[in-house]
Amino acid sequence: MDRPFRFIWPLAAAAVLSACTYQLQESHLVRPQPAPATDIATLAEAFPGYALDEVRIDTGDGASLYSLRLTRPDARATVLYFGGNGYRIGVHAQQTLRGYARLPVNLVLVDHRGYGGSTGDATLAALRADALAVHDRLRTEPTFSTLPLLVHGQSLGSFLAGHVARERRLDGLVLESSMTTAEDWVADMRARAGWRTRLLVRRIAVPPALQGAGNLEVARTLDEPVLFLVGADDATTAPAYSRMLYDATPLPAADKRLVVVPGKGHNTATHSPEFLAAMAELVERVAAVAGTAGAAGT
């Protein structure tokens, strides 16, 4: 979901000289990219409060997912993070850590299949299945099973986080730079394109694999505390769509929050005091609930 239309419009302009409908492809949204290996030494030096551990997770269809676990002794929760289209641990781990380093949480990063250090053929359906597999594994590991688990998804990763929230009961959820549906996103991108493009591309057909993809239906079923986060200057997934997701969520106001960060764009909302404050509040909340539940069970 990270600016794929820069690839689409030149193709569309040529295609629609004889037709006004352009067929969107799943590969426009899911585009695997390689990456250099993670520089563990540099990360450890830059963020000395963490212990770093590289772990591979085998899937049922032969793919191998590369994950990086960053644990700290003062952690009150664990965050499972799914990045956007183009996110690769070897390139973007420091950026993610800058947003989280001041929060008392373990952090688990995962390369989507076919991206970075992960193998396998990437489709949205496969990425969703992988997200569930990673979540389920963390729930069973001693390092993480005793702490609340929050799932944070950014852009394309928000689709994966939302899918996990729909299929599993989470302690908390963060949907950053998210979208209602693929259909809404395509219509929005066309509406904001130049008039020549709109003249040529009268309609963009969404393939079955992407139809309904997004978090609108997920929002309507959420039963865990949720933070919707978006940059006020996000030109890829406009803040209005996070507002729609917030409004569609049938939770009381105390259990949902919308944070629109001034001056931030599609990939930078976590680098802000607004995110730090909102996430600290969410971590404190889920940790307190877990502590209460633990006390009740003694």
Side-chain angles (χ1 to χ4, degrees), residues 115-202:
Y115 290 70
S118 294
T119 66
D121 296 325
T123 65
L124 185 55
L127 266 56
R128 285 171 170 159
D130 292 345
L132 284 177
V134 174
H135 166 273
D136 292 350
R137 173 158 172 174
L138 290 181
R139 286 292 198 189
T140 67
E141 294 186 16
T143 301
F144 306 109
S145 61
T146 59
L147 291 174
L149 180 61
L150 299 97
V151 179
H152 179 168
Q154 191 268 341
S155 194
L156 174 65
S158 77
F159 290 8
L160 311 184
H163 180 67
V164 175
R166 190 169 191 171
E167 298 296 325
R168 303 290 189 268
R169 180 68 169 90
L170 304 180
D171 295 297
L173 175 67
V174 181
L175 297 178
E176 178 192 351
S177 306
S178 193
M179 193 64 202
T180 48
T181 65
E183 290 86 346
D184 284 348
W185 179 65
V186 165
D188 180 65
M189 295 297 284
R190 180 188 176 278
R192 290 188 284 127
W195 68 267
R196 291 182 179 86
T197 297
R198 293 197 302 272
L199 179 64
L200 290 172
V201 182
R202 300 297 180 87

Side-chain angles (χ1 to χ4, degrees), residues 18-109:
S18 58
C20 293
T21 296
Y22 180 74
Q23 180 67 51
L24 185 69
Q25 301 295 326
E26 188 173 7
S27 59
H28 292 141
L29 301 185
V30 181
R31 298 191 310 276
Q33 301 176 50
T38 305
D39 188 340
I40 296 296
T42 298
L43 278 178
E45 182 178 355
F47 301 93
Y50 294 94
L52 282 67
D53 189 21
E54 296 175 289
V55 175
R56 285 205 163 269
I57 301 171
D58 294 328
T59 67
D61 62 354
S64 175
L65 306 180
Y66 171 70
S67 71
L68 180 64
R69 282 89 179 283
L70 301 105
T71 56
R72 48 193 289 173
D74 64 340
R76 304 198 67 200
T78 296
V79 174
L80 170 58
Y81 182 86
F82 296 112
N85 195 357
Y87 186 90
R88 290 149 293 159
I89 296 171
V91 176
H92 300 105
Q94 286 206 37
Q95 176 179 327
T96 307
L97 275 164
R98 282 197 297 271
Y100 269 104
R102 295 172 61 187
L103 294 164
V105 296
N106 298 322
L107 194 59
V108 178
L109 311 179

